[in-house]
Amino acid sequence: MATIDEAVKRVVHRQLAPTRVIGPTTEVAEDTDGDPMLRIDVAIEAAMNRLDPGEVAGLIRHVCKPLTESGTDHFPEFHFMAAEEAADAAARSH
């Protein structure tokens, strides 16, 4: 999983620059049909906690090849949140 995490991190940071990205974190999950997927949580610090849609639009396309090269064919599903939300969620889980 470390290879997958590193591949995702590299792509997300490159595609969303100059937005400050915290993480991302990845985990294998199931979609609504029960098929395996890769859930990717991305916390950001950006003006008004907003991303440029153009930066986000190509993320799946850019991450699929490195994921395949890392040994997974799980479809990536991105979830975005403000850094404050990620900190609050982490505090509640402890």
Side-chain angles (χ1 to χ4, degrees):
M1 193 71 177
T3 305
I4 293 169
D5 291 342
E6 188 55 38
V8 169
K9 182 177 180 178
R10 195 171 44 250
V11 171
V12 169
H13 282 263
R14 182 180 68 234
Q15 287 301 116
L16 298 182
T19 298
R20 182 168 180 264
V21 176
I22 302 163
T25 60
T26 58
E27 76 175 293
V28 176
E30 289 184 352
D31 66 14
T32 56
D33 295 325
D35 295 324
M37 59 167 266
L38 189 65
R39 180 185 169 103
I40 303 169
D41 291 327
V42 182
I44 61 155
E45 284 185 0
M48 298 179 60
N49 291 322
R50 296 189 188 259
L51 290 169
D52 179 341
E55 295 171 340
V56 177
L59 268 177
I60 290 175
R61 178 174 46 90
H62 288 285
V63 83
C64 281
K65 183 177 179 185
L67 286 176
T68 301
E69 292 169 351
S70 298
T72 186
D73 61 352
H74 294 2
F75 189 79
E77 181 177 288
F78 285 91
H79 298 262
F80 296 93
M81 66 193 88
E84 299 83 26
E85 292 175 289
D88 289 346
R92 283 192 303 268
S93 68
H94 292 301

